[in-house]
Amino acid sequence: MLIENAMVLAAGLGTRLRPITDTMPKPLVPIAGKPMIDHVLDLLVAAGIKTAAVNVHHFADRMEAHLHARAAPAIRISDERAALMNSGGGLAKGLARLDPGPVLVMNADLFWIGEPEGRSNLARLAEAFDPTRMDMLLLCVDLDRTTGHDGKKDFSLQADGQLVRYAEGLPQPVVYAGAIAMMSTLFDDAPKDAFNLNIYFDKAIAAGRLYGLMLEGEWITVGTPDAIGKAEAQFARLAERA
């Protein structure tokens, strides 16, 4: 499926990354010389995204200035200065800034490096998304290919590609890699106030319509100050292998 719109969730306070985020928004924290959100937006552009909605709250003016200085993708700001909407509410509000249709969703602090040449994870996600069978297609990663993660297993990937919540003993545990392919219309009935995106994951599981696709490369999350060094070391290891 051709997907040209995206939503990036970037409005969080980044409290676990303090004291760094006392003076700057988390998505602008540099990793290997580039702000985290630029790693994310560059992945989206490489996958063919033309327009991205990005929500802002913490140091919102700095976020807007940075985003509008980019050449691509075209940025539409979803303003949460008045109140944070949590992951689900923020997504619902941001989707209203985009034309209806298929959309990729990403977190501003989760990205990956080392994709095989010519095999964009996001392009693969878009191609594999089938709205006749799926409410959401989630990009997932094996625990041993994560950097900065706390070890939590999110889902079990079934043989048919469906996802269920992970419980001890279930096969193929995976970590949610922070990217989704979905139709924006899925959120037409979403609450207008703050809510967690996990509500929609669980609804899709109950309907047998939550699916997963495995990430290729090395996945990076930066939630705490010590994770910055781990992430930059992963960049250095990858450069050495190149």
Side-chain angles (χ1 to χ4, degrees):
M1 173 172 287
L2 178 65
I3 301 182
E4 295 187 341
N5 289 330
M7 171 66 195
V8 180
L9 298 169
L13 297 174
T15 53
R16 292 192 304 130
L17 204 54
R18 287 175 176 162
I20 298 169
T21 49
D22 287 337
T23 57
M24 68 187 308
K26 181 179 180 181
L28 295 189
V29 173
I31 303 296
K34 183 162 70 173
M36 279 191 277
I37 196 165
D38 285 339
H39 287 286
V40 170
L41 290 169
D42 289 348
L43 289 168
L44 288 165
V45 170
I49 293 299
K50 306 298 184 187
T51 303
V54 183
N55 61 352
V56 298
H57 174 83
H58 193 46
F59 293 101
D61 290 348
R62 289 176 63 179
M63 284 289 294
E64 283 201 67
H66 179 84
L67 292 166
H68 287 310
R70 286 185 57 98
I75 299 293
R76 297 180 183 175
I77 297 297
S78 180
D79 194 334
E80 293 186 21
R81 284 175 173 84
L84 281 169
M85 300 293 290
N86 205 328
S87 55
L91 175 54
K93 184 172 181 176
L95 290 175
R97 304 283 296 134
L98 299 168
D99 294 335
V103 63
L104 293 177
V105 181
M106 280 195 72
N107 287 13
D109 59 348
L110 308 175
F111 56 95
W112 48 87
I113 57 176
E115 292 174 325
E117 189 172 351
R119 287 179 61 82
S120 158
N121 284 305
L122 291 175
R124 291 173 51 238
L125 194 71
E127 290 165 8
F129 176 55
D130 177 3
T132 67
R133 297 186 297 121
M134 307 168 183
D135 283 347
M136 294 176 162
L137 178 62
L138 274 52
L139 193 64
C140 300
V141 62
D142 293 318
L143 188 59
D144 62 2
R145 286 190 292 114
T146 68
T147 297
H149 187 56
D150 61 7
K152 181 177 179 289
K153 303 165 186 175
D154 297 314
F155 300 101
S156 170
L157 182 63
Q158 308 296 289
D160 62 359
Q162 287 192 40
L163 293 172
V164 296
R165 291 288 183 184
Y166 180 72
E168 195 63 38
L170 288 179
Q172 196 166 357
V174 295
V175 176
Y176 167 50
I180 308 168
M182 54 174 275
M183 298 297 293
S184 63
T185 50
L186 182 67
F187 273 60
D188 282 353
D189 64 349
K192 301 302 182 186
D193 53 359
F195 68 94
N196 195 292
L197 186 54
N198 276 296
I199 293 172
Y200 273 75
F201 290 166
D202 289 336
K203 285 171 64 174
I205 289 171
R209 292 179 58 85
L210 189 71
Y211 281 75
L213 179 76
M214 295 305 295
L215 175 145
E216 296 178 345
E218 301 292 330
W219 184 73
I220 292 171
T221 179
V222 181
T224 59
D226 67 327
I228 295 175
K230 294 176 183 177
E232 296 192 329
Q234 187 64 272
F235 271 89
R237 282 192 290 271
L238 190 67
E240 289 173 1
R241 295 201 301 263

